[in-house]
Amino acid sequence: MAHHGEQHYNLEQRFDFTAATKKSIMTVLVIGAILLGIGIILAMTGGGHHEEAGEAGGHAFHWYERLYANLWINNVFFTGIALVGVFFFAIQFAAQAGWSTPILRIMLSLGNWLPIAGVLMIATFFIANHDLFHWTHAYLFDKNDPQYDSIIDGKGAFFYWPMEKGSFPIFYIARMIIFFVFWVFFFNKFKQISEQEDQLGGTSHWFKMRSWSAYFLVFFAVSSSISAWDWVMSIDTHWFSTLFGWYVFASWLVSGLSAITLLTIFLKGRGYLEMVNQNHIHDLGKFVFGFSIFWTYLWFSQFLLIYYANIPEESVYFIERLSSDVFGPYIFVNLGLNFFLPFLVLMTRDAKRHGIFLKVVCSILLVGHWVDFFLMVQPGTLGHNGGIGFIEVGMFLVYGSAATLVVLGGLAKKNLVAKNHPMLEESYHHHI
């Protein structure tokens, strides 16, 4: 037990993942699965969806392409949230932060989804690569083929080296596997050191965690950018943006911070984390507010530079989205949910200190940044055959509830609070 003035904090507390909580999450998962099933049946029978030639390859559109595109959107989105949990955890040690000590385990718990995310990502790529990535077609690299593409041929080595272009994308798959292996390795390393600190105490584990955090952050900086190019930017193979890695990172970061904030408020509402006060909540609110503006800055930087340069091979990315009846409106939904709403609602000090405001804003931000990834993936994979329907909503609910089950299950296995953390006492007195 820890003493803070007259208060006594239970540092041995564990999250009790009750049957009622599991039932609620499973209900959402079942609803999502039903909506997904309805969407698939409608797509198979052509209900509410017309099958026309896709723009990317000029081929006939098949219903399963929409299923694959949604698998990819949710794989990338939820992988990012899990990764940001581990990233934000590492940042606390690199920055020698004390305020966040009571919620460190919440940040790290998001990483429980990473091993599953890795399996899903690799499996989806092997099943759906031709339907998601134009560059996977061998004829693009054959100079004797009428559909030969010199631009994609020039980029081929990035995917296929050291093998022949158009064969097996070993370099691409190797990067994907290496990234997930190292991300999961660092996540498990952090968990291992945390457990040792709980058992043995002392400051040596904090210093060890700081060193490992530094290694992770260097690897994260490289891997998060390259994974953004590989998994998202390469869908529109001709197009590129030099700040795309930053842009995807910003979207992941706001989503991950929203998830951490929601989880903290959820646990606080259940009577856990008594040492977390309004000042800690305020800090989380400031992070969500600040990085929502950072995301907008990057969105606008990318858009404005491409807009006023007006170079056809760059502007095509926004033209095919803005001029589309399917995707055009979602550009404005994206900006409304991810900038205007958090900016206007969280501007005041009080809004960032009250759980009700943060619960609403963070929930909307998670949906908003899913829409952001939807806009990154669907136009290049589905063209005018895309949109938001039963498949999209169902898949989002299935992934979201599955990830929640995994994260809360992981959280329930260990102590909620890092009881022997050398800066725990400092966090009790956190005041802003």
Side-chain angles (χ1 to χ4, degrees):
M1 302 286 277
H3 305 277
H4 170 220
E6 296 299 311
Q7 297 188 55
H8 302 276
Y9 294 132
N10 174 18
L11 299 183
E12 300 291 342
Q13 59 185 276
R14 288 194 176 197
F15 170 60
D16 180 18
F17 198 4
T18 61
T21 308
K22 287 177 185 169
K23 188 178 175 183
S24 301
I25 299 167
M26 285 301 296
T27 305
V28 176
L29 195 148
V30 170
I31 291 168
I34 291 167
L35 291 174
L36 180 58
I38 292 168
I40 290 170
I41 291 164
L42 285 174
M44 288 172 74
T45 56
H49 199 79
H50 50 283
E51 300 201 359
E52 295 180 24
E55 287 171 15
H59 63 280
F61 173 78
H62 300 289
W63 68 268
Y64 54 78
E65 292 174 41
R66 188 159 178 177
L67 185 69
Y68 294 160
N70 280 289
L71 278 169
W72 200 253
I73 293 165
N74 288 287
N75 281 341
V76 174
F77 180 65
F78 286 100
T79 297
I81 291 175
L83 190 55
V84 162
V86 185
F87 163 76
F88 201 56
F89 175 88
I91 283 283
Q92 307 310 313
F93 287 90
Q96 304 184 47
W99 72 272
S100 54
T101 307
I103 56 172
L104 285 172
R105 300 284 162 86
I106 294 170
M107 301 170 195
L108 192 59
S109 70
L110 295 183
N112 283 296
W113 180 251
L114 278 174
I116 298 168
V119 172
L120 287 169
M121 184 74 83
I122 292 161
T124 306
F125 181 78
F126 274 106
I127 294 165
N129 57 64
H130 285 316
D131 296 303
L132 293 172
F133 298 98
H134 188 47
W135 55 262
T136 56
H137 297 278
Y139 59 76
L140 298 167
F141 304 95
D142 181 359
K143 290 181 179 174
N144 300 317
D145 193 287
Q147 294 189 72
Y148 169 73
D149 191 312
S150 60
I151 294 173
I152 295 177
D153 188 22
K155 298 182 179 188
F158 185 66
F159 304 118
Y160 291 100
W161 179 88
M163 295 180 74
E164 186 185 344
K165 287 184 273 191
S167 55
F168 183 73
I170 191 164
F171 197 25
Y172 179 94
I173 290 162
R175 285 196 298 270
M176 186 185 285
I177 292 169
I178 288 166
F179 291 165
F180 274 107
V181 165
F182 274 95
W183 291 340
V184 172
F185 164 75
F186 279 112
F187 165 66
N188 285 324
K189 192 72 187 173
F190 292 153
K191 273 206 309 185
Q192 180 194 349
I193 300 170
S194 296
E195 285 170 36
Q196 290 170 351
E197 184 186 70
D198 276 359
Q199 291 163 8
L200 304 170
T203 57
S204 63
H205 299 99
W206 183 89
F207 285 104
K208 190 189 287 187
M209 192 80 88
R210 187 158 183 249
S211 297
W212 279 103
S213 295
Y215 303 143
F216 170 74
L217 290 169
V218 171
F219 183 76
F220 173 85
V222 176
S223 59
S224 61
S225 277
I226 296 175
S227 60
W229 309 335
D230 279 356
W231 304 345
V232 186
M233 195 168 76
S234 77
I235 289 170
D236 298 273
T237 319
H238 279 201
W239 182 80
F240 64 91
S241 163
T242 48
L243 62 71
F244 199 79
W246 277 107
Y247 177 72
V248 169
F249 164 68
S251 200
W252 275 347
L253 184 57
V254 177
S255 307
L257 289 169
S258 298
I260 291 164
T261 306
L262 285 171
L263 204 44
T264 304
I265 293 168
F266 165 75
L267 290 169
K268 188 89 180 121
R270 291 291 176 98
Y272 301 101
L273 306 175
E274 317 93 288
M275 67 289 290
V276 172
N277 56 42
Q278 275 198 326
N279 300 290
H280 298 94
I281 302 297
H282 188 178
D283 267 349
L284 287 170
K286 284 195 286 190
F287 274 113
V288 171
F289 176 73
F291 283 106
S292 291
I293 294 170
F294 176 65
W295 172 86
T296 314
Y297 157 71
L298 291 174
W299 187 95
F300 191 68
S301 298
Q302 184 169 268
F303 176 79
L304 189 69
L305 287 169
I306 289 171
Y307 170 77
Y308 73 62
N310 202 20
I311 301 168
E313 56 265 36
E314 290 182 354
S315 59
V316 64
Y317 183 84
F318 286 104
I319 288 169
E320 75 175 4
R321 284 158 175 77
L322 282 165
S323 62
S324 162
D325 292 336
V326 178
F327 302 111
Y330 290 111
I331 294 272
F332 301 100
V333 170
N334 192 21
L335 288 170
L337 295 183
N338 296 327
F339 170 61
F340 290 106
L341 181 119
F343 180 70
L344 295 173
V345 175
L346 294 182
M347 195 183 289
T348 64
R349 173 183 164 88
D350 279 352
K352 292 192 280 284
R353 293 174 76 84
H354 288 101
I356 184 65
F357 284 107
L358 285 169
K359 270 195 274 193
V360 172
V361 171
C362 291
S363 301
I364 290 171
L365 279 171
L366 283 171
V367 174
H369 283 282
W370 179 90
V371 170
D372 192 25
F373 280 96
F374 158 82
L375 282 169
M376 289 185 227
V377 172
Q378 275 209 13
T381 52
L382 301 179
H384 52 269
N385 293 302
I388 293 182
F390 285 115
I391 291 181
E392 284 71 22
V393 175
M395 189 81 81
F396 177 65
L397 292 177
V398 168
Y399 263 81
S401 45
T404 305
L405 282 170
V406 169
V407 167
L408 291 180
L411 202 57
K413 288 175 185 169
K414 300 280 183 275
N415 281 6
L416 267 182
V417 181
K419 63 181 181 182
N420 289 324
H421 192 288
M423 297 188 186
L424 190 57
E425 183 71 25
E426 178 188 329
S427 72
Y428 298 157
H429 305 287
H430 181 54
H431 180 77
I432 47 172

